[in-house]
Amino acid sequence: MTSVFKLIGGALFGLAIAVPAQAQDPVKIGLVHGISGHAFEAFSKQAQTGFELGIEYATGGTNEIKGRPVELVIKDSQFKPDVARAVLAEAYGDDEVLLAVGATSSGVTQAMLPIAEEYEKILIVEPAVADSLTGPDSNRYVFKTSRNSSMDMQAQALALQPDENLVVATLAEDYAFGRDGIEAFKAALDGSGATVVTEEYVPQGTTDFTAVAERMFNALKDEEGRKVILIYIAGGGDAPGKIQAMDPGRYDIEISMGGHILPVLPTYKRFPGLEGAVYYYYEAFDNEINNWLVETHMERFDSPPDFFTAGGMSAALAVVAALEAAPEWDTETLIETMEGMSWDTPKGGMTFRAEDHQALQDMLHFKIKVEDDVEWAIPEKVRIIPAEEMNIPIGREN
C-alpha cells in the first residue's frame, strides 16, 4: 500500500489515505493552508483532516475518482500573503494540480485570488470566511464552500431576535474577517428596529480590551432596552472573558458571540444561557454523512469532529461531486458543472450560487448549556436556520 498524499513545501497532518499502486495518473489537488507560524494553525489541521475524510467517504474508501487516484499536494502559506501567492502559483504551475483548496486566513486568501485567475484554474475557498472573497475583486475561477460573514451575522442577528428594543455595541478584529462581519451584521439588522450604537475594531493579537470595553460600556449604559455587546473575534486574547470580568452586568449589558472550535468552548462555560449562531456543532446535524464523520472521527482520534473538520469535508465532497459529474476536467467544463451545483455535506445540502460561487448553506442557532461531566460548554441546538431564511448579498456577477 502506498500513500497517495505527496508532501510538498509543508507538513502533512491528519489521516494518511492509501490505495494500491495505480496504472493511471493521479488527479492532483492542491491544499494551500497555513500550517506553521500562527495561532490559526489548528484551524488548518482540522480542515485538512476533514478534507482527507471527505475524499475517503465520497469515493467509498477507494480514494479514486473515475479510476484515478487522488494525490494531495500540500503547501504551507505560513499565513503570509506573499508566500501564499508563491506556493499557489507553484501548485498550479510546477505541480500541475487540477484545482486548489485554501486557505485559512481571509487576508491571506484575498492575496491568492488573482493567482487563480492568472493560471485559469479553480480555487475553492475553505475555510476563510470574508464576504469579499466572492466579492467584486474576486473572479470566476473562485468557488467558496466555507460560510461567509453575512451568514455568520445574519444567523447571529436572527439568534438575537432583533427589534426596536435591541441596542448593540460591536467588537471585531481590524481586518477583512472582522470588518466584513460587522458590515454584514448591520445589514442583517436593517428594518428590524435594532440599533448599533458603536463599533470597535482592534488589531489581531490584541490581549488588552480595557479601553474598548469602557468605550462600549459608556455607549450602552444609558440606553433603554436590551443592551448587547456583540463580539466577533476569531483569534485568541479572550475578549469575552476579559470584558465579562469588567462586570458589564452592572449596566444590564449582556454579551453575545458566535460559536467556536471545541478547544475554545470550555471558556464558554462562563456564559450559561448565551445564545448565538455557529457554522457547525457535531451533535446538531442528523444525516448519514455527519453520522459517518462523527463515528469515524471518534474511532480514529478519540474526539468528535470540529467545525473546520466539517468544512474541510464539505470542500472535499464538492470536489468529488464536481469531478464525478463533469464530462471533462478542463477548467471551463468544471466551472460550468459547479455553477449551481448542489451536493450533500455533514451539515446538510449546499449549493454553489451561480452568480458569485458562494455555497449557500444552513446555520445553527444555539444556546449554551453547561454540564459538569462535559469539559466544554455545549452549544445546544435551538434550531437550524435554513439557507433560504437568510438574504445573503451577491458578491459579484460572473
Side-chain angles (χ1 to χ4, degrees):
M1 302 287 280
T2 58
S3 173
V4 302
F5 288 114
K6 183 179 181 185
L7 177 58
I8 300 177
L12 181 61
F13 297 94
L15 304 174
I17 297 180
V19 299
Q22 298 289 331
Q24 291 208 53
D25 291 335
V27 52
K28 294 183 179 181
I29 299 170
L31 279 187
V32 181
H33 287 298
I35 47 181
S36 62
H38 199 282
F40 288 176
E41 182 178 323
F43 302 169
S44 300
K45 291 179 180 179
Q46 288 184 13
Q48 184 168 326
T49 295
F51 195 90
E52 294 169 2
L53 286 169
I55 295 293
E56 178 182 349
Y57 179 88
T59 63
T62 67
N63 306 303
E64 295 178 6
I65 303 173
K66 294 183 176 177
R68 293 175 60 180
V70 176
E71 180 180 313
L72 294 190
V73 178
I74 312 299
K75 299 289 187 179
D76 183 5
S77 73
Q78 301 175 34
F79 294 95
K80 298 176 181 177
D82 56 336
V83 174
R85 286 193 296 266
V87 297
L88 180 59
E90 185 178 73
Y92 285 144
D94 296 346
D95 302 315
E96 298 182 333
V97 301
L98 177 64
L99 56 85
V101 180
T104 310
S105 161
S106 293
V108 171
T109 306
Q110 275 187 319
M112 295 164 56
L113 305 184
I115 305 302
E117 186 170 34
E118 177 184 344
Y119 281 84
E120 298 183 346
K121 289 193 174 184
I122 288 171
L123 173 65
I124 295 179
V125 175
E126 178 68 47
V129 172
D131 283 31
S132 55
L133 299 174
T134 51
D137 295 332
S138 188
N139 58 74
R140 64 191 296 270
Y141 302 97
V142 177
F143 287 78
K144 191 164 178 286
T145 53
S146 55
R147 89 282 185 194
N148 66 13
S149 297
S150 287
M151 294 175 193
D152 275 349
M153 287 311 189
Q154 288 202 24
Q156 189 73 21
L158 288 168
L160 286 173
Q161 300 177 330
D163 57 21
E164 64 281 355
N165 194 49
L166 179 65
V167 185
V168 185
T170 65
L171 173 62
E173 289 171 309
D174 193 8
Y175 75 116
F177 170 83
R179 289 194 172 270
D180 282 8
I182 298 308
E183 284 303 309
F185 179 73
K186 291 190 296 181
L189 293 182
D190 282 350
S192 69
T195 305
V196 175
V197 294
T198 189
E199 301 170 40
E200 293 286 344
Y201 296 94
V202 296
Q204 288 181 273
T206 295
T207 57
D208 184 354
F209 299 94
T210 306
V212 294
E214 289 291 357
R215 289 196 293 271
M216 290 189 291
F217 290 176
N218 288 334
L220 287 170
K221 65 182 183 181
D222 295 327
E223 295 286 340
E224 298 293 329
R226 183 185 177 198
K227 297 175 280 192
V228 174
I229 291 175
L230 174 72
I231 300 173
Y232 191 57
I233 291 180
D238 191 22
K242 290 177 179 177
I243 293 171
Q244 182 79 347
M246 295 174 65
D247 191 18
R250 62 196 153 115
Y251 302 119
D252 295 321
I253 297 171
E254 61 184 277
I255 289 175
S256 180
M257 54 188 168
H260 218 301
I261 61 173
L262 293 174
V264 177
L265 285 181
T267 67
Y268 280 54
K269 284 194 167 188
R270 298 168 295 183
F271 307 99
L274 178 147
E275 293 191 45
V278 71
Y279 168 84
Y280 172 86
Y281 182 67
Y282 73 98
E283 292 182 320
F285 295 92
D286 184 13
N287 59 67
E288 181 178 325
I289 296 175
N290 191 55
N291 294 341
W292 181 91
L293 173 60
V294 173
E295 181 179 351
T296 303
H297 203 279
M298 290 294 295
E299 288 176 353
R300 297 183 186 175
F301 303 102
D302 197 29
S303 66
D306 220 333
F307 68 69
F308 289 110
T309 319
M313 186 175 190
S314 297
L317 294 172
V319 168
V320 177
L323 297 185
E324 290 283 5
E328 303 292 339
W329 286 0
D330 63 283
T331 297
E332 290 304 314
T333 302
L334 288 173
I335 290 174
E336 183 179 349
T337 299
M338 294 170 69
E339 286 184 340
M341 183 183 82
S342 297
W343 74 103
D344 291 327
T345 80
K347 52 182 286 188
M350 293 188 187
T351 299
F352 282 129
R353 184 163 54 186
E355 292 87 347
D356 62 358
H357 301 171
Q358 170 63 54
L360 303 179
Q361 56 201 272
D362 299 345
M363 297 288 284
L364 169 65
H365 173 189
F366 68 84
K367 184 174 184 177
I368 289 297
K369 181 173 72 172
V370 175
E371 294 185 353
D372 292 341
D373 59 347
V374 179
E375 64 180 279
W376 56 78
I378 300 168
E380 188 174 40
K381 179 171 70 175
V382 175
R383 71 181 183 106
I384 301 299
I385 300 171
E388 55 268 24
E389 195 172 320
M390 295 176 284
N391 183 21
I392 307 302
I394 294 173
R396 69 172 188 279
E397 296 284 352
N398 285 311

